[in-house]
Amino acid sequence: MEKLSVKKLYSPFMLMLFLFFLISPAFSATEIKLGLVTKPGSAQNIVAEKFKEIIEQRSQGEIAVKIFHSSSIGNETEILQQIQMGSIQMGVITSGPFDTFDPIARVIDYPFLFKDNDQADEILDGPLGAEILKSLEGSGFKGLCFSENGFRNLTNNKKAVKSPDDVKGLKIRVMDSALHQGIWKSLGANPTPMPWPIYTELEQGVIDGQENPLWVMEVYKFYEIQKYMTMTRHVYSAHIDVASLKWWNSLKPELREMIHKSIYEAAVFQRKDNRDKDAGRLKMLKEKGMQVEENPDIAAFRAKVADMKNMELFSNPKVQTLLTKMLEAVN
Ligand code: EAX
């Protein structure tokens, strides 16, 4: 057998190979896998695309974003689990499903909390929003900022709904969230938790209705299968834009700052985009034949959920304290 000579080891080829491995990390981009459950054109995907555009340009190739949309890597709860483990780096996820991981997220979705978009921005971009983002670190998430789904409205295929009396017995699909189930139980409906998407279930009548912001009725063509819409605006639905804490802690501070700044810019862009489009959407949904109740008896809806702050759902002291602060801040 031929002996491995020192001369061979130091051959020019070996030297080049060694040098290549030494410097290669400098050339390889950091890939961010980002998960979401909705499709192109959706609120979540608009945030993700904008973030990709900003960060890839700003980092001059150091960061590459790969978007996994349409539940291709799982539903919202499953994406969050992958983010916790660090196999997925980021997500644009509706606030509702976070409450399985940290009940603090419930506070955002408290019924009839924010009076309008400006108030939602002011509070979620301020110190109370920061408390929520910080709290998520306890579950392995780096909460970065809030983008939006928007104010949620009820649709159904059974009857026109003007007051909570009309809701009685309706089978309403809700997100995987104890709070959302609680809200619809308090309103007298029959809430059924189900992950996104839900078109087939609505079409087949497994559920009578659902609740979501206007963009959803447009992008998912719910006007084809839901006759009635009521502008309940019962919950302001945020997305929490998150990263895996494990991954985040492994990044250089400059990179963290760049990511944080870029996702926040994307979120601000998307909130405005979403709001700018709402009037046109309402018009279009009516043209498509939806029967819209624009002035439901909101006072009656509010009265049905007025006691929710005293429910078991909010009994955790950290959650109760934040909810109290929030309710004071919106008044
Ligand atoms: O954005 O599950 C839901 O109802 C969410 O709002 C959905 O992801 C659409």
mmCIF file of all heavy atoms in Angstrom, residues 6-48:
data_model
loop_
_atom_site.group_PDB
_atom_site.id
_atom_site.type_symbol
_atom_site.label_atom_id
_atom_site.label_comp_id
_atom_site.label_asym_id
_atom_site.label_seq_id
_atom_site.Cartn_x
_atom_site.Cartn_y
_atom_site.Cartn_z
ATOM 1 N N VAL A 6 3.491 13.572 2.914
ATOM 2 C CA VAL A 6 3.240 14.963 3.298
ATOM 3 C C VAL A 6 3.116 15.822 2.045
ATOM 4 O O VAL A 6 2.270 16.697 1.938
ATOM 5 C CB VAL A 6 4.393 15.480 4.195
ATOM 6 C CG1 VAL A 6 4.222 16.964 4.488
ATOM 7 C CG2 VAL A 6 4.432 14.687 5.480
ATOM 8 N N LYS A 7 3.919 15.482 1.078
ATOM 9 C CA LYS A 7 3.921 16.223 -0.180
ATOM 10 C C LYS A 7 2.539 16.195 -0.829
ATOM 11 O O LYS A 7 2.015 17.199 -1.310
ATOM 12 C CB LYS A 7 4.935 15.575 -1.116
ATOM 13 C CG LYS A 7 5.568 16.558 -2.093
ATOM 14 C CD LYS A 7 6.703 15.860 -2.798
ATOM 15 C CE LYS A 7 6.968 16.522 -4.130
ATOM 16 N NZ LYS A 7 7.769 15.652 -4.976
ATOM 17 N N LYS A 8 1.921 15.009 -0.745
ATOM 18 C CA LYS A 8 0.598 14.852 -1.353
ATOM 19 C C LYS A 8 -0.438 15.736 -0.652
ATOM 20 O O LYS A 8 -1.265 16.390 -1.264
ATOM 21 C CB LYS A 8 0.155 13.392 -1.268
ATOM 22 C CG LYS A 8 0.081 12.780 -2.633
ATOM 23 C CD LYS A 8 -0.564 11.438 -2.579
ATOM 24 C CE LYS A 8 -0.376 10.778 -3.928
ATOM 25 N NZ LYS A 8 -0.241 9.352 -3.810
ATOM 26 N N LEU A 9 -0.360 15.714 0.661
ATOM 27 C CA LEU A 9 -1.327 16.502 1.439
ATOM 28 C C LEU A 9 -1.269 17.977 1.115
ATOM 29 O O LEU A 9 -2.267 18.690 1.141
ATOM 30 C CB LEU A 9 -1.068 16.318 2.935
ATOM 31 C CG LEU A 9 -1.808 15.189 3.595
ATOM 32 C CD1 LEU A 9 -1.371 15.065 5.050
ATOM 33 C CD2 LEU A 9 -3.306 15.419 3.539
ATOM 34 N N TYR A 10 -0.074 18.447 0.838
ATOM 35 C CA TYR A 10 0.070 19.866 0.556
ATOM 36 C C TYR A 10 0.032 20.185 -0.930
ATOM 37 O O TYR A 10 0.451 21.233 -1.351
ATOM 38 C CB TYR A 10 1.367 20.401 1.210
ATOM 39 C CG TYR A 10 1.166 20.568 2.684
ATOM 40 C CD1 TYR A 10 1.567 19.581 3.573
ATOM 41 C CD2 TYR A 10 0.505 21.700 3.187
ATOM 42 C CE1 TYR A 10 1.346 19.717 4.935
ATOM 43 C CE2 TYR A 10 0.276 21.834 4.537
ATOM 44 C CZ TYR A 10 0.697 20.838 5.421
ATOM 45 O OH TYR A 10 0.467 20.971 6.756
ATOM 46 N N SER A 11 -0.459 19.289 -1.682
ATOM 47 C CA SER A 11 -0.556 19.553 -3.124
ATOM 48 C C SER A 11 -1.436 20.777 -3.334
ATOM 49 O O SER A 11 -2.299 21.066 -2.513
ATOM 50 C CB SER A 11 -1.151 18.347 -3.833
ATOM 51 O OG SER A 11 -2.496 18.220 -3.460
ATOM 52 N N PRO A 12 -1.269 21.503 -4.396
ATOM 53 C CA PRO A 12 -2.051 22.729 -4.636
ATOM 54 C C PRO A 12 -3.554 22.482 -4.566
ATOM 55 O O PRO A 12 -4.303 23.304 -4.056
ATOM 56 C CB PRO A 12 -1.649 23.147 -6.054
ATOM 57 C CG PRO A 12 -0.353 22.500 -6.297
ATOM 58 C CD PRO A 12 -0.301 21.263 -5.466
ATOM 59 N N PHE A 13 -3.957 21.316 -5.018
ATOM 60 C CA PHE A 13 -5.394 21.018 -4.995
ATOM 61 C C PHE A 13 -5.939 20.994 -3.566
ATOM 62 O O PHE A 13 -6.948 21.601 -3.232
ATOM 63 C CB PHE A 13 -5.654 19.682 -5.696
ATOM 64 C CG PHE A 13 -7.086 19.243 -5.572
ATOM 65 C CD1 PHE A 13 -8.094 19.895 -6.285
ATOM 66 C CD2 PHE A 13 -7.432 18.196 -4.723
ATOM 67 C CE1 PHE A 13 -9.412 19.500 -6.153
ATOM 68 C CE2 PHE A 13 -8.748 17.801 -4.589
ATOM 69 C CZ PHE A 13 -9.736 18.454 -5.311
ATOM 70 N N MET A 14 -5.203 20.277 -2.699
ATOM 71 C CA MET A 14 -5.632 20.170 -1.306
ATOM 72 C C MET A 14 -5.672 21.547 -0.645
ATOM 73 O O MET A 14 -6.572 21.860 0.141
ATOM 74 C CB MET A 14 -4.672 19.262 -0.516
ATOM 75 C CG MET A 14 -4.762 17.814 -0.894
ATOM 76 S SD MET A 14 -6.366 17.104 -0.464
ATOM 77 C CE MET A 14 -6.105 16.791 1.280
ATOM 78 N N LEU A 15 -4.697 22.336 -0.995
ATOM 79 C CA LEU A 15 -4.609 23.667 -0.406
ATOM 80 C C LEU A 15 -5.821 24.512 -0.794
ATOM 81 O O LEU A 15 -6.442 25.184 0.023
ATOM 82 C CB LEU A 15 -3.322 24.342 -0.901
ATOM 83 C CG LEU A 15 -2.858 25.517 -0.040
ATOM 84 C CD1 LEU A 15 -2.435 25.019 1.333
ATOM 85 C CD2 LEU A 15 -1.700 26.240 -0.723
ATOM 86 N N MET A 16 -6.197 24.407 -2.052
ATOM 87 C CA MET A 16 -7.357 25.167 -2.536
ATOM 88 C C MET A 16 -8.643 24.710 -1.849
ATOM 89 O O MET A 16 -9.503 25.509 -1.476
ATOM 90 C CB MET A 16 -7.494 25.037 -4.056
ATOM 91 C CG MET A 16 -6.757 26.138 -4.785
ATOM 92 S SD MET A 16 -6.608 25.778 -6.515
ATOM 93 C CE MET A 16 -8.296 25.839 -7.030
ATOM 94 N N LEU A 17 -8.726 23.396 -1.704
ATOM 95 C CA LEU A 17 -9.913 22.824 -1.062
ATOM 96 C C LEU A 17 -10.034 23.345 0.374
ATOM 97 O O LEU A 17 -11.093 23.776 0.823
ATOM 98 C CB LEU A 17 -9.778 21.299 -1.045
ATOM 99 C CG LEU A 17 -11.089 20.528 -0.999
ATOM 100 C CD1 LEU A 17 -11.872 20.766 -2.279
ATOM 101 C CD2 LEU A 17 -10.825 19.036 -0.814
ATOM 102 N N PHE A 18 -8.890 23.357 1.051
ATOM 103 C CA PHE A 18 -8.851 23.814 2.435
ATOM 104 C C PHE A 18 -9.271 25.287 2.512
ATOM 105 O O PHE A 18 -10.107 25.672 3.328
ATOM 106 C CB PHE A 18 -7.421 23.619 2.979
ATOM 107 C CG PHE A 18 -7.235 24.214 4.344
ATOM 108 C CD1 PHE A 18 -7.790 23.606 5.468
ATOM 109 C CD2 PHE A 18 -6.497 25.388 4.510
ATOM 110 C CE1 PHE A 18 -7.620 24.161 6.724
ATOM 111 C CE2 PHE A 18 -6.326 25.942 5.767
ATOM 112 C CZ PHE A 18 -6.885 25.333 6.877
ATOM 113 N N LEU A 19 -8.718 26.085 1.623
ATOM 114 C CA LEU A 19 -9.042 27.517 1.612
ATOM 115 C C LEU A 19 -10.519 27.748 1.316
ATOM 116 O O LEU A 19 -11.174 28.604 1.922
ATOM 117 C CB LEU A 19 -8.197 28.251 0.556
ATOM 118 C CG LEU A 19 -6.779 28.560 0.998
ATOM 119 C CD1 LEU A 19 -5.977 29.152 -0.165
ATOM 120 C CD2 LEU A 19 -6.784 29.538 2.177
ATOM 121 N N PHE A 20 -11.055 26.939 0.406
ATOM 122 C CA PHE A 20 -12.467 27.092 0.045
ATOM 123 C C PHE A 20 -13.365 26.879 1.268
ATOM 124 O O PHE A 20 -14.245 27.667 1.560
ATOM 125 C CB PHE A 20 -12.852 26.111 -1.069
ATOM 126 C CG PHE A 20 -14.312 26.135 -1.384
ATOM 127 C CD1 PHE A 20 -14.864 27.196 -2.112
ATOM 128 C CD2 PHE A 20 -15.165 25.136 -0.925
ATOM 129 C CE1 PHE A 20 -16.221 27.249 -2.382
ATOM 130 C CE2 PHE A 20 -16.529 25.172 -1.184
ATOM 131 C CZ PHE A 20 -17.053 26.235 -1.923
ATOM 132 N N PHE A 21 -13.075 25.807 2.011
ATOM 133 C CA PHE A 21 -13.911 25.537 3.186
ATOM 134 C C PHE A 21 -13.768 26.618 4.251
ATOM 135 O O PHE A 21 -14.686 26.936 4.976
ATOM 136 C CB PHE A 21 -13.603 24.147 3.765
ATOM 137 C CG PHE A 21 -14.278 23.062 2.988
ATOM 138 C CD1 PHE A 21 -13.560 22.109 2.285
ATOM 139 C CD2 PHE A 21 -15.681 23.019 2.937
ATOM 140 C CE1 PHE A 21 -14.208 21.125 1.555
ATOM 141 C CE2 PHE A 21 -16.329 22.035 2.203
ATOM 142 C CZ PHE A 21 -15.591 21.091 1.502
ATOM 143 N N LEU A 22 -12.560 27.179 4.291
ATOM 144 C CA LEU A 22 -12.300 28.221 5.273
ATOM 145 C C LEU A 22 -13.143 29.466 5.003
ATOM 146 O O LEU A 22 -13.683 30.083 5.911
ATOM 147 C CB LEU A 22 -10.806 28.565 5.233
ATOM 148 C CG LEU A 22 -10.249 29.259 6.467
ATOM 149 C CD1 LEU A 22 -10.179 28.272 7.617
ATOM 150 C CD2 LEU A 22 -8.865 29.827 6.166
ATOM 151 N N ILE A 23 -13.237 29.838 3.724
ATOM 152 C CA ILE A 23 -13.933 31.096 3.421
ATOM 153 C C ILE A 23 -15.380 30.915 2.963
ATOM 154 O O ILE A 23 -16.127 31.873 2.863
ATOM 155 C CB ILE A 23 -13.177 31.952 2.366
ATOM 156 C CG1 ILE A 23 -13.032 31.165 1.069
ATOM 157 C CG2 ILE A 23 -11.844 32.418 2.887
ATOM 158 C CD1 ILE A 23 -12.453 31.982 -0.056
ATOM 159 N N SER A 24 -15.804 29.673 2.722
ATOM 160 C CA SER A 24 -17.145 29.475 2.154
ATOM 161 C C SER A 24 -18.295 30.043 2.983
ATOM 162 O O SER A 24 -19.261 30.540 2.414
ATOM 163 C CB SER A 24 -17.394 27.998 1.846
ATOM 164 O OG SER A 24 -17.377 27.285 3.043
ATOM 165 N N PRO A 25 -18.227 30.027 4.352
ATOM 166 C CA PRO A 25 -19.363 30.580 5.091
ATOM 167 C C PRO A 25 -19.640 32.032 4.719
ATOM 168 O O PRO A 25 -20.770 32.500 4.761
ATOM 169 C CB PRO A 25 -18.934 30.464 6.557
ATOM 170 C CG PRO A 25 -17.913 29.394 6.573
ATOM 171 C CD PRO A 25 -17.205 29.485 5.255
ATOM 172 N N ALA A 26 -18.601 32.758 4.319
ATOM 173 C CA ALA A 26 -18.782 34.161 3.965
ATOM 174 C C ALA A 26 -19.630 34.315 2.710
ATOM 175 O O ALA A 26 -20.235 35.354 2.491
ATOM 176 C CB ALA A 26 -17.423 34.811 3.766
ATOM 177 N N PHE A 27 -19.669 33.277 1.894
ATOM 178 C CA PHE A 27 -20.430 33.381 0.650
ATOM 179 C C PHE A 27 -21.841 32.824 0.756
ATOM 180 O O PHE A 27 -22.702 33.142 -0.034
ATOM 181 C CB PHE A 27 -19.701 32.655 -0.491
ATOM 182 C CG PHE A 27 -18.443 33.350 -0.890
ATOM 183 C CD1 PHE A 27 -17.221 32.691 -0.855
ATOM 184 C CD2 PHE A 27 -18.474 34.677 -1.310
ATOM 185 C CE1 PHE A 27 -16.056 33.345 -1.232
ATOM 186 C CE2 PHE A 27 -17.315 35.337 -1.674
ATOM 187 C CZ PHE A 27 -16.106 34.664 -1.630
ATOM 188 N N SER A 28 -22.046 31.939 1.727
ATOM 189 C CA SER A 28 -23.361 31.305 1.767
ATOM 190 C C SER A 28 -24.360 32.215 2.469
ATOM 191 O O SER A 28 -24.106 32.712 3.558
ATOM 192 C CB SER A 28 -23.283 29.956 2.482
ATOM 193 O OG SER A 28 -22.922 30.169 3.810
ATOM 194 N N ALA A 29 -25.487 32.431 1.825
ATOM 195 C CA ALA A 29 -26.503 33.311 2.395
ATOM 196 C C ALA A 29 -27.181 32.611 3.575
ATOM 197 O O ALA A 29 -27.255 31.396 3.635
ATOM 198 C CB ALA A 29 -27.535 33.630 1.328
ATOM 199 N N THR A 30 -27.655 33.408 4.520
ATOM 200 C CA THR A 30 -28.481 32.874 5.593
ATOM 201 C C THR A 30 -29.869 32.687 5.022
ATOM 202 O O THR A 30 -30.474 33.648 4.552
ATOM 203 C CB THR A 30 -28.552 33.890 6.759
ATOM 204 O OG1 THR A 30 -27.237 34.114 7.233
ATOM 205 C CG2 THR A 30 -29.435 33.381 7.887
ATOM 206 N N GLU A 31 -30.375 31.458 5.032
ATOM 207 C CA GLU A 31 -31.718 31.253 4.488
ATOM 208 C C GLU A 31 -32.750 31.330 5.620
ATOM 209 O O GLU A 31 -32.594 30.696 6.651
ATOM 210 C CB GLU A 31 -31.838 29.907 3.781
ATOM 211 C CG GLU A 31 -33.172 29.831 3.043
ATOM 212 C CD GLU A 31 -33.456 28.473 2.416
ATOM 213 O OE1 GLU A 31 -33.566 27.479 3.163
ATOM 214 O OE2 GLU A 31 -33.576 28.424 1.187
ATOM 215 N N ILE A 32 -33.774 32.121 5.377
ATOM 216 C CA ILE A 32 -34.872 32.196 6.338
ATOM 217 C C ILE A 32 -36.063 31.471 5.734
ATOM 218 O O ILE A 32 -36.584 31.873 4.698
ATOM 219 C CB ILE A 32 -35.264 33.665 6.624
ATOM 220 C CG1 ILE A 32 -34.089 34.420 7.257
ATOM 221 C CG2 ILE A 32 -36.509 33.721 7.520
ATOM 222 C CD1 ILE A 32 -34.390 35.888 7.566
ATOM 223 N N LYS A 33 -36.474 30.407 6.376
ATOM 224 C CA LYS A 33 -37.708 29.741 5.949
ATOM 225 C C LYS A 33 -38.836 30.397 6.722
ATOM 226 O O LYS A 33 -38.803 30.449 7.950
ATOM 227 C CB LYS A 33 -37.662 28.249 6.273
ATOM 228 C CG LYS A 33 -36.593 27.484 5.526
ATOM 229 C CD LYS A 33 -36.859 25.979 5.662
ATOM 230 C CE LYS A 33 -35.741 25.159 5.076
ATOM 231 N NZ LYS A 33 -34.596 24.985 6.014
ATOM 232 N N LEU A 34 -39.830 30.896 5.986
ATOM 233 C CA LEU A 34 -40.934 31.620 6.629
ATOM 234 C C LEU A 34 -42.252 30.935 6.291
ATOM 235 O O LEU A 34 -42.568 30.726 5.119
ATOM 236 C CB LEU A 34 -40.903 33.081 6.137
ATOM 237 C CG LEU A 34 -41.860 34.069 6.803
ATOM 238 C CD1 LEU A 34 -41.341 35.498 6.630
ATOM 239 C CD2 LEU A 34 -43.273 33.988 6.262
ATOM 240 N N GLY A 35 -43.020 30.574 7.323
ATOM 241 C CA GLY A 35 -44.255 29.818 7.095
ATOM 242 C C GLY A 35 -45.519 30.634 7.319
ATOM 243 O O GLY A 35 -45.559 31.504 8.190
ATOM 244 N N LEU A 36 -46.542 30.334 6.524
ATOM 245 C CA LEU A 36 -47.867 30.928 6.725
ATOM 246 C C LEU A 36 -48.909 30.018 6.071
ATOM 247 O O LEU A 36 -48.568 29.161 5.251
ATOM 248 C CB LEU A 36 -47.934 32.358 6.164
ATOM 249 C CG LEU A 36 -47.467 32.619 4.739
ATOM 250 C CD1 LEU A 36 -48.661 32.700 3.804
ATOM 251 C CD2 LEU A 36 -46.701 33.936 4.682
ATOM 252 N N VAL A 37 -50.179 30.202 6.447
ATOM 253 C CA VAL A 37 -51.186 29.233 5.989
ATOM 254 C C VAL A 37 -52.058 29.715 4.839
ATOM 255 O O VAL A 37 -52.805 28.928 4.258
ATOM 256 C CB VAL A 37 -52.127 28.795 7.136
ATOM 257 C CG1 VAL A 37 -51.341 28.060 8.206
ATOM 258 C CG2 VAL A 37 -52.909 29.956 7.718
ATOM 259 N N THR A 38 -51.998 30.995 4.540
ATOM 260 C CA THR A 38 -52.892 31.513 3.507
ATOM 261 C C THR A 38 -52.167 31.594 2.161
ATOM 262 O O THR A 38 -50.974 31.324 2.078
ATOM 263 C CB THR A 38 -53.453 32.875 3.942
ATOM 264 O OG1 THR A 38 -52.354 33.671 4.375
ATOM 265 C CG2 THR A 38 -54.460 32.724 5.058
ATOM 266 N N LYS A 39 -52.922 31.991 1.113
ATOM 267 C CA LYS A 39 -52.328 31.877 -0.219
ATOM 268 C C LYS A 39 -51.808 33.214 -0.747
ATOM 269 O O LYS A 39 -52.049 34.252 -0.128
ATOM 270 C CB LYS A 39 -53.355 31.281 -1.162
ATOM 271 C CG LYS A 39 -54.622 32.093 -1.343
ATOM 272 C CD LYS A 39 -55.594 31.288 -2.203
ATOM 273 C CE LYS A 39 -56.842 32.060 -2.539
ATOM 274 N NZ LYS A 39 -57.782 31.256 -3.324
ATOM 275 N N PRO A 40 -51.114 33.206 -1.888
ATOM 276 C CA PRO A 40 -50.669 34.469 -2.472
ATOM 277 C C PRO A 40 -51.859 35.420 -2.642
ATOM 278 O O PRO A 40 -52.945 34.993 -3.047
ATOM 279 C CB PRO A 40 -50.088 34.047 -3.824
ATOM 280 C CG PRO A 40 -49.584 32.653 -3.573
ATOM 281 C CD PRO A 40 -50.589 32.044 -2.631
ATOM 282 N N GLY A 41 -51.646 36.688 -2.304
ATOM 283 C CA GLY A 41 -52.745 37.657 -2.347
ATOM 284 C C GLY A 41 -53.345 37.873 -0.958
ATOM 285 O O GLY A 41 -54.069 38.827 -0.732
ATOM 286 N N SER A 42 -53.039 36.971 -0.017
ATOM 287 C CA SER A 42 -53.583 37.092 1.343
ATOM 288 C C SER A 42 -52.805 38.126 2.144
ATOM 289 O O SER A 42 -51.664 38.482 1.795
ATOM 290 C CB SER A 42 -53.491 35.749 2.064
ATOM 291 O OG SER A 42 -52.127 35.426 2.319
ATOM 292 N N ALA A 43 -53.400 38.566 3.249
ATOM 293 C CA ALA A 43 -52.757 39.544 4.131
ATOM 294 C C ALA A 43 -51.387 39.041 4.605
ATOM 295 O O ALA A 43 -50.390 39.767 4.552
ATOM 296 C CB ALA A 43 -53.669 39.815 5.331
ATOM 297 N N GLN A 44 -51.359 37.786 5.043
ATOM 298 C CA GLN A 44 -50.101 37.231 5.563
ATOM 299 C C GLN A 44 -49.028 37.181 4.485
ATOM 300 O O GLN A 44 -47.855 37.484 4.717
ATOM 301 C CB GLN A 44 -50.320 35.796 6.091
ATOM 302 C CG GLN A 44 -51.160 35.681 7.341
ATOM 303 C CD GLN A 44 -52.661 35.611 7.060
ATOM 304 O OE1 GLN A 44 -53.145 36.086 6.030
ATOM 305 N NE2 GLN A 44 -53.419 35.047 7.980
ATOM 306 N N ASN A 45 -49.433 36.775 3.276
ATOM 307 C CA ASN A 45 -48.440 36.625 2.222
ATOM 308 C C ASN A 45 -47.924 37.977 1.720
ATOM 309 O O ASN A 45 -46.794 38.078 1.272
ATOM 310 C CB ASN A 45 -49.015 35.801 1.064
ATOM 311 C CG ASN A 45 -47.924 35.136 0.256
ATOM 312 O OD1 ASN A 45 -47.211 34.281 0.760
ATOM 313 N ND2 ASN A 45 -47.753 35.554 -0.984
ATOM 314 N N ILE A 46 -48.764 39.003 1.821
ATOM 315 C CA ILE A 46 -48.311 40.343 1.437
ATOM 316 C C ILE A 46 -47.198 40.810 2.393
ATOM 317 O O ILE A 46 -46.191 41.367 1.967
ATOM 318 C CB ILE A 46 -49.503 41.334 1.388
ATOM 319 C CG1 ILE A 46 -50.395 40.976 0.181
ATOM 320 C CG2 ILE A 46 -49.032 42.786 1.303
ATOM 321 C CD1 ILE A 46 -51.706 41.732 0.083
ATOM 322 N N VAL A 47 -47.359 40.514 3.677
ATOM 323 C CA VAL A 47 -46.297 40.844 4.649
ATOM 324 C C VAL A 47 -45.014 40.094 4.272
ATOM 325 O O VAL A 47 -43.924 40.665 4.200
ATOM 326 C CB VAL A 47 -46.682 40.428 6.097
ATOM 327 C CG1 VAL A 47 -45.590 40.828 7.077
ATOM 328 C CG2 VAL A 47 -48.027 40.999 6.513
ATOM 329 N N ALA A 48 -45.172 38.802 4.013
ATOM 330 C CA ALA A 48 -44.012 37.954 3.749
ATOM 331 C C ALA A 48 -43.263 38.394 2.475
ATOM 332 O O ALA A 48 -42.034 38.496 2.474
ATOM 333 C CB ALA A 48 -44.451 36.496 3.626
#
